[in-house]
Amino acid sequence: MARPLGPGRRHAGRGVFVDGEPALVPDPAADPRTAAAVAIAPDLGPIMSVAVVGDRGAHGVLTVAHRRGAGQFVRTDLELFTAFAAHAGLVLDVAALRRENDRIRLLEDRQRIAADLQETLIRDLFGLGLSLQGTASRIAGTEVRDSLMAGVDELDRIIRAVRTAVFAMEPRA
């Protein structure tokens, strides 16, 4: 039979999160680190806590507890719980890397779209505006020329709006 962990196992110190070492609190009511938890849950028995650590440092702390009088933790419990926390740390690291890859992919897509818009749409709209402006300058009738120039002004406004959108899509330093 596995032997219960006693008070000698990492019972005091700066804390599981900072030290990264598992902690066992056999009597939470007698330990200042857990006395407040006992005030909320008076049936709280022995507590076991381990840090969830990954390549980027500590993510947090996992804690399990028995009800008062329901049993003690044994060394095997601590070993299994520590292994579980190590796996959880790896999962959190992988999730963070995936989020970072997704963010990079999004920025690359935005940059590609912005470049495509700059190279094609803005150039074509600008060319159309110049062509209409040239045509308007050759028209003698004021009403038609003014109407055409209003269209050129609208094209200029559209070009500025597209440029603003393109620059908003490009990644900032």
Side-chain angles (χ1 to χ4, degrees), residues 5 22 40 50 64 73 101 117 119:
L5 293 173
I40 296 169
V50 295
V64 294
F73 289 108
N101 283 340
L117 286 173
E119 290 175 15

Side-chain angles (χ1 to χ4, degrees), residues 37-123:
V38 173
I40 296 169
D43 288 342
L44 195 60
I47 298 173
M48 181 172 54
S49 294
V50 295
V52 179
V53 180
D55 289 339
R56 297 179 177 198
H59 293 285
V61 175
L62 286 177
T63 301
V64 294
H66 283 297
R67 287 191 179 278
R68 182 172 297 287
Q72 293 289 323
F73 289 108
V74 295
R75 189 163 308 284
T76 306
D77 295 330
L78 184 63
E79 290 169 0
L80 288 172
F81 197 47
T82 301
F84 178 80
H87 287 9
L90 292 173
V91 167
L92 291 172
D93 281 348
V94 168
L97 290 172
R98 283 186 179 158
R99 282 191 304 273
E100 183 66 19
N101 283 340
D102 289 345
R103 190 182 75 73
I104 289 170
R105 200 172 307 118
L106 177 66
L107 290 174
E108 287 172 346
D109 285 347
R110 284 183 176 178
Q111 194 169 12
R112 181 187 49 76
I113 291 167
D116 289 350
L117 286 173
Q118 246 178 334
E119 290 175 15
T120 57
L121 183 65
I122 293 175
R123 183 190 65 223

Side-chain angles (χ1 to χ4, degrees), residues 7-25 31-33:
R9 176 67 181 170
R10 177 82 188 99
H11 187 70
R14 296 185 317 187
V16 174
F17 188 78
V18 175
D19 294 340
E21 291 292 323
L24 175 69
V25 180
D31 192 308
R33 297 174 297 172

Side-chain angles (χ1 to χ4, degrees), residues 126-146:
F126 188 72
L128 177 61
L130 285 176
S131 175
L132 290 174
Q133 204 170 20
T135 302
S137 68
R138 292 191 304 265
I139 295 177
T142 329
E143 189 176 313
V144 174
R145 184 177 59 239
D146 289 348

